[in-house]
């Protein structure tokens, strides 16, 4: 096969029971894409036609609707008499499956980071009315050390759809008790499945061992798994508790929302970093810091992940100079924690606290060779986020718009404060 529609085929990536996937080139967007082509028999065979057609339509219907850095993007879908296919983002990396092998387990901190990113992606999907229903290592792509992309939404339950959803689908080893019993499903079924994935990444084996699906389903609904630490002694009790809560059989005892799951994971990472006095920042810590700053109140999850990737982060000791009066500036900063002082010609002008920004006129004015009007010096142990103009210029339109809105709010607040002071005089 040389072409699929307008897409030039580079090579075949793999195949499953109902489809095959090709690496292709999109000539209009000038990018590589992965195209899943459905076997014609899958859509014409009487026994399976309705099932496969519904699964295909479900995945195709999500084109352009789940724009998140940790979800594989679906760009296009074609349903034709001759060929039916879905055009997706190409991710240069394998799945998590190799790291479920006891001989290839990842470090604990990497596993926690990976699962944290999964919780944020699945929370985003849930807010869009989508429950994945088939979370497993084969559907989580790994790129780099901890970057992930969740794929294969063909089994998804779309809660906002009027179309009758297919039931009884998924991978038995990762199904929640509610899924096995064919109860009405919510996002909590994905929480359970992600708990199973986490267990497997930590230990190299599934929480339940069975020779057939019937035995597996019985154990999922009736048997308590042994804690991961019994199979890997370096797992701390806090991590055992997180897995245990995610895999609770009763919904009332399981995590009640994705934020609760995410918060427990990030708290574990933060305490580990504090104990080791690390000066680098885990992605989960960066994300939670940004989410907690008033400046980013109107930023969505996708924009926060984008900010993380265009920004620099550093710890600053008291007395460290961050900006100099008269210096040419091509970046601005936000204070993630601590205090800094603003000095002009040796006189103290202001003290800035956590959440405030400085140097933003270098971006707002957009003047070439803009000069700093004051010195900025760390007053305490501080964490500083730095963003260069050129990097923000390359960000998405939505992200830049959110920055413009935040800067406008700051300028209005400062103008209002100046007017109040003048009236007071």
């Amino acid at each position: 096969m040389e072409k699929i529609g307008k897409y030039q085929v580079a090579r075949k990536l793999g195949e499953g029971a109902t489809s095959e996937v090709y690496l292709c080139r999109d000539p209009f967007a000038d990018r590589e894409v992965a195209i899943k082509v459905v076997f014609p028999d899958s859509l014409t065979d009487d026994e399976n036609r309705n099932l496969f057609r519904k699964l295909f339509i479900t995945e195709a219907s999500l084109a352009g609707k789940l724009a998140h850095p940790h979800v594989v993007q679906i760009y296009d879908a074609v349903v034709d008499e001759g060929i039916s296919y879905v055009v997706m983002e190409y991710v240069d990396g394998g799945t998590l499956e190799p790291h479920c092998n006891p001989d290839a387990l990842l470090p604990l901190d990497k596993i926690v980071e990976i699962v944290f990113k999964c919780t944020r992606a699945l929370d985003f999907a849930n807010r869009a009315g989508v429950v994945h229903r088939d979370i497993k290592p084969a559907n989580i792509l790994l790129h780099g050390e901890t970057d992930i992309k969740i794929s294969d939404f063909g089994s998804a339950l779309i809660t906002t759809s009027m179309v009758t959803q297919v039931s009884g689908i998924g991978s038995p080893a990762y199904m929640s008790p509610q899924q096995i019993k064919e109860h009405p499903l919510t996002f909590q079924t994905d929480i359970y499945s992600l708990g199973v994935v986490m267990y497997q990444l930590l230990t190299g084996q599934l929480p339940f061992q069975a020779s057939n699906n019937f035995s597996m389903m019985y154990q999922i609904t009736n048997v308590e798994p042994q804690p991961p630490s019994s199979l890997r002694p370096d797992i701390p009790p806090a991590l055992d508790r997180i897995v245990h809560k995610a895999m609770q059989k009763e919904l009332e005892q399981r995590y009640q929302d994705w934020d609760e799951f995410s918060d427990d994971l990030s708290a574990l990472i933060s305490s580990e970093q504090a104990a080791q006095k690390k000066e680098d920042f885990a992605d989960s810590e960066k994300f939670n810091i940004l989410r907690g700053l008033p400046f980013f109140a109107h930023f969505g999850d996708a924009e926060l992940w984008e900010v993380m990737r265009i920004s620099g982060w550093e710890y600053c000791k008291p007395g460290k100079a961050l900006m100099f009066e008269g210096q040419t500036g091509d970046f601005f900063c936000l204070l993630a924690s601590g205090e800094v002082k603003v000095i002009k010609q040796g006189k103290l002008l202001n003290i800035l606290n956590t959440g405030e920004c400085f140097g933003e006129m270098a971006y707002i004015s957009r003047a070439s060779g803009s000069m700093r009007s004051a010195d900025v010096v760390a007053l305490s142990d501080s964490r500083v986020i730095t963003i260069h103009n050129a990097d923000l210029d390359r960000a998405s339109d939505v992200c830049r718009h959110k920055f413009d809105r935040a800067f406008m709010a700051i300028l209005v607040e400062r103008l209002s404060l100046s007017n109040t002071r003048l009236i007071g005089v």
Side-chain angles (χ1 to χ4, degrees):
M1 188 180 298
E2 294 183 357
K3 292 191 76 174
I4 301 173
K6 66 180 180 182
Y7 305 96
Q8 188 69 40
V9 174
R11 69 177 190 273
K12 186 175 179 177
L13 295 174
E15 69 176 71
T18 62
S19 62
E20 52 192 355
V21 181
Y22 292 88
L23 173 63
C24 300
R25 189 78 190 175
D26 183 338
F28 296 98
D30 191 27
R31 64 188 173 195
E32 290 183 320
V33 294
I35 298 184
K36 181 193 291 186
V37 181
V38 180
F39 294 137
D41 291 348
S42 299
L43 299 181
T44 57
D45 178 76
D46 288 339
E47 183 178 351
N48 297 316
R49 179 175 58 223
N50 290 336
L51 171 62
F52 291 140
R53 181 172 288 277
K54 282 187 176 181
L55 296 181
F56 177 80
I57 291 173
T58 293
E59 189 164 27
S61 71
L62 294 175
K65 295 179 181 177
L66 291 179
H68 189 279
H70 296 131
V71 174
V72 172
Q73 300 300 293
I74 300 174
Y75 298 131
D76 193 12
V78 172
V79 181
D80 201 299
E81 288 296 328
I83 187 169
S84 297
Y85 57 90
V86 176
V87 183
M88 303 172 291
E89 173 185 8
Y90 172 63
V91 181
D92 184 14
T95 73
L96 288 179
E97 288 180 296
H99 299 292
C100 295
N101 186 312
D103 297 326
L105 297 180
L106 295 167
L108 297 182
D109 60 335
K110 302 298 183 189
I111 295 172
V112 175
E113 279 288 297
I114 286 168
V115 177
F116 176 86
K117 290 172 182 175
C118 289
T119 65
R120 301 317 310 158
L122 291 169
D123 178 62
F124 178 84
N126 177 55
R127 292 175 191 273
V130 178
V131 178
H132 191 287
R133 291 201 300 179
D134 196 19
I135 293 297
K136 58 185 178 182
N139 287 338
I140 304 173
L141 304 178
L142 181 63
H143 179 68
E145 289 191 346
T146 65
D147 265 347
I148 60 97
K149 297 266 187 182
I150 293 177
S151 67
D152 200 346
F153 280 80
S155 303
L157 171 68
I158 303 177
T159 59
T160 56
S161 173
M162 299 301 291
V163 178
T164 302
Q165 300 292 330
V166 179
S167 61
I169 57 175
S171 304
Y174 302 92
M175 283 183 174
S176 68
Q178 292 71 33
Q179 201 168 359
I180 287 172
K181 296 175 182 178
E182 297 195 2
H183 288 177
L185 298 181
T186 69
F187 66 91
Q188 283 183 287
T189 194
D190 285 348
I191 286 180
Y192 180 93
S193 299
L194 186 57
V196 176
V197 171
M198 191 173 183
Y199 190 107
Q200 196 175 12
L201 288 172
L202 288 168
T203 65
Q205 70 176 50
L206 287 164
F208 302 109
Q209 305 296 309
S211 58
N212 56 65
N213 286 344
F214 180 80
S215 175
M216 177 69 72
M217 292 178 186
Y218 176 83
Q219 291 182 60
I220 289 171
T221 53
N222 294 282
V223 178
E224 288 296 322
Q226 56 184 322
S229 60
S230 66
L231 300 169
R232 185 173 174 177
D234 60 330
I235 293 175
L239 200 45
D240 268 344
R241 288 193 293 270
I242 291 172
V243 175
H244 179 70
K245 189 165 185 177
M247 289 183 59
Q248 282 293 308
K249 300 186 188 303
E250 300 300 326
L251 295 177
E252 297 76 14
Q253 297 173 16
R254 204 175 300 164
Y255 282 112
Q256 295 301 296
D257 55 51
W258 284 111
D259 280 347
E260 186 184 4
F261 196 172
S262 301
D263 290 345
D264 277 359
L265 291 166
S266 61
L268 185 67
I269 295 168
S270 297
S271 62
E272 181 69 18
Q273 286 190 312
Q276 297 181 20
K277 297 182 179 179
K278 289 185 178 179
E279 293 195 355
D280 54 335
F281 296 79
D283 285 349
S284 57
E285 185 180 12
K286 290 180 183 179
F287 179 86
N288 283 328
I289 287 173
L290 293 177
R291 193 165 56 157
L293 296 178
F295 184 94
F296 296 103
H298 298 290
F299 286 62
D301 265 25
E303 292 85 62
L304 292 180
W305 288 111
E306 191 172 359
V307 172
M308 282 173 46
R309 281 157 176 72
I310 64 172
S311 58
W313 296 62
E314 66 173 326
Y315 283 99
C316 297
K317 295 293 184 182
K320 180 173 181 178
L322 303 170
M323 291 181 183
F324 297 93
E325 183 178 356
Q327 177 188 53
T328 300
D330 65 348
F331 64 90
F332 60 92
C333 299
L334 292 117
L335 199 55
S337 66
E339 291 182 324
V340 299
K341 57 184 178 180
V342 183
I343 304 168
K344 186 174 181 66
Q345 296 179 357
K347 294 182 179 180
L348 180 66
L349 293 183
N350 201 0
I351 293 178
L352 304 178
N353 298 294
T354 298
E356 296 190 83
C357 64
F358 51 95
E360 69 277 3
M361 291 308 298
Y363 176 75
I364 295 173
S365 69
R366 311 305 289 161
S368 178
S370 177
M371 307 292 283
R372 304 294 189 194
S373 60
D375 295 334
V376 180
V377 180
L379 196 58
S380 66
D381 286 328
S382 304
R383 293 184 289 186
V384 177
I385 304 166
T386 300
I387 300 176
H388 286 268
N389 296 348
D391 293 326
L392 185 52
D393 286 341
R394 288 191 290 269
S396 67
D397 291 342
V398 173
C399 189
R400 291 200 308 274
H401 172 72
K402 296 291 178 71
F403 269 100
D404 291 343
R405 179 179 177 181
F407 285 139
M408 183 62 70
I410 290 171
L411 293 177
V412 169
E413 182 182 352
R414 289 175 182 172
L415 182 59
S416 176
L417 180 60
S418 297
N419 287 339
T420 300
R421 286 173 177 170
L422 287 173
I423 293 171
V425 173

